[in-house]
Amino acid sequence: MASLPLLLLPGLLCDERLWRDPAAELADVATVHHADLTRDDSMAGMAARVLAAAPPVFALAALSMGGYVAFEILRQAPQRVAKLALLDTSARLDPPKRRLVRQAGLAMAEAGRFAGVTRKLLPQLVHESRVDSALGEEVMAMAQRVGLDAFLRQQRAIIDRPDSEPLLPTIAVPTLLGVGEDDRMTLPEETRLMHDRIPGARLHVFARCGHLPPMEVPQETAAVLRGWLTAA
């Protein structure tokens, strides 16, 4: 019987497809809610919109940019988060080089040169064994569905996000941390840093996986989330 609602936060240029398969696997243990992170250009705005539509108390699972929103939710309404799962994300601000890359991508998109996720970018997002596959095509199609306007808003929010590293020791709910062993977008060391600083956090590394475990290894993702959801 479903008990605690499960709120899922997607990453940059991701929609409900990101979580589709694990969500279906978890339908017997949680009522799933997908958040919309396409309509605001700040983390505070995204978090406020998510909270306005969310159940009173929920388990929160987030990937990449969704993790930045999860930290903002913890700042705005920590009492509403019963459990926390953070996949392939970081609490720290971007290093200067990464920030410049984001700003350059934003400027290109503002100038009308929005390419979404290209085949050239895919190796940054999925394991090399999945680049030339149906999954790779789905990742590119997902980015096109989200589109230019949402990308501009999301990238501005990411660039201007607050530093969440000071928040880590204050997190007092059961926390699961996961990362793809071969994630090139958010390096595993970022997840290990969070593991060191969030009291009692549990760490799971997805073998032969890149930045998108819910799409790359959906059954493993579902199994790990099931254990986190059903643990006392």
Side-chain angles (χ1 to χ4, degrees):
M1 184 174 180
S3 52
L4 192 65
L6 172 60
L7 180 59
L8 299 173
L9 306 184
L12 174 70
L13 286 176
C14 295
D15 60 17
E16 290 186 16
R17 172 62 186 90
L18 173 72
W19 292 104
R20 183 194 69 192
D21 297 337
E25 292 277 341
L26 295 167
D28 63 320
V29 293
T31 303
V32 175
H33 301 261
H34 292 273
D36 179 4
L37 304 183
T38 65
R39 300 164 65 187
D40 300 279
D41 62 2
S42 70
M43 292 299 156
M46 289 180 183
R49 188 182 299 274
V50 169
L51 285 165
V57 179
F58 48 84
L60 181 62
L63 181 138
S64 195
M65 179 193 75
Y68 311 153
V69 181
F71 289 129
E72 183 61 30
I73 287 172
L74 288 171
R75 277 187 280 268
Q76 292 187 17
Q79 73 282 1
R80 294 179 62 183
V81 180
K83 297 189 176 195
L84 178 67
L86 300 170
L87 304 186
D88 299 82
T89 193
S90 173
R92 296 193 285 192
L93 295 175
D94 291 331
K97 186 175 180 180
R98 181 73 180 277
R99 183 179 175 88
L100 288 173
V101 169
R102 286 196 193 278
Q103 289 172 329
L106 181 61
M108 287 180 64
E110 288 173 334
R113 298 194 298 275
F114 173 71
V117 173
T118 63
R119 194 165 297 279
K120 184 178 179 181
L121 182 60
L122 273 179
Q124 297 290 321
L125 291 172
V126 299
H127 187 269
E128 60 183 11
S129 65
R130 301 183 181 97
V131 171
D132 296 313
S133 70
L135 178 64
E137 297 292 335
E138 288 199 64
V139 172
M140 291 190 289
M142 179 169 65
Q144 288 299 320
R145 286 195 300 273
V146 175
L148 169 62
D149 290 344
F151 172 78
L152 294 173
R153 288 188 285 268
Q154 290 178 339
Q155 198 70 287
R156 289 175 188 132
I158 291 171
I159 290 170
D160 293 335
R161 74 187 187 274
D163 182 4
S164 294
E165 195 172 358
L167 186 68
L168 299 180
T170 73
I171 296 175
V173 296
T175 301
L176 167 69
L177 302 170
V179 66
E181 176 184 44
D182 302 295
D183 191 343
R184 293 166 61 181
M185 189 66 69
T186 303
L187 298 180
E189 67 190 48
E190 296 295 329
T191 301
R192 294 191 176 96
L193 179 144
M194 292 190 293
H195 181 244
D196 289 342
R197 299 190 184 179
I198 298 175
R202 180 174 152 233
L203 173 64
H204 182 86
V205 179
F206 297 93
R208 289 181 57 79
C209 183
H211 190 61
L212 303 175
M215 292 180 74
E216 296 184 68
V217 286
Q219 290 184 323
E220 183 179 356
T221 301
V224 173
L225 290 176
R226 180 180 293 273
W228 160 75
L229 280 168
T230 58

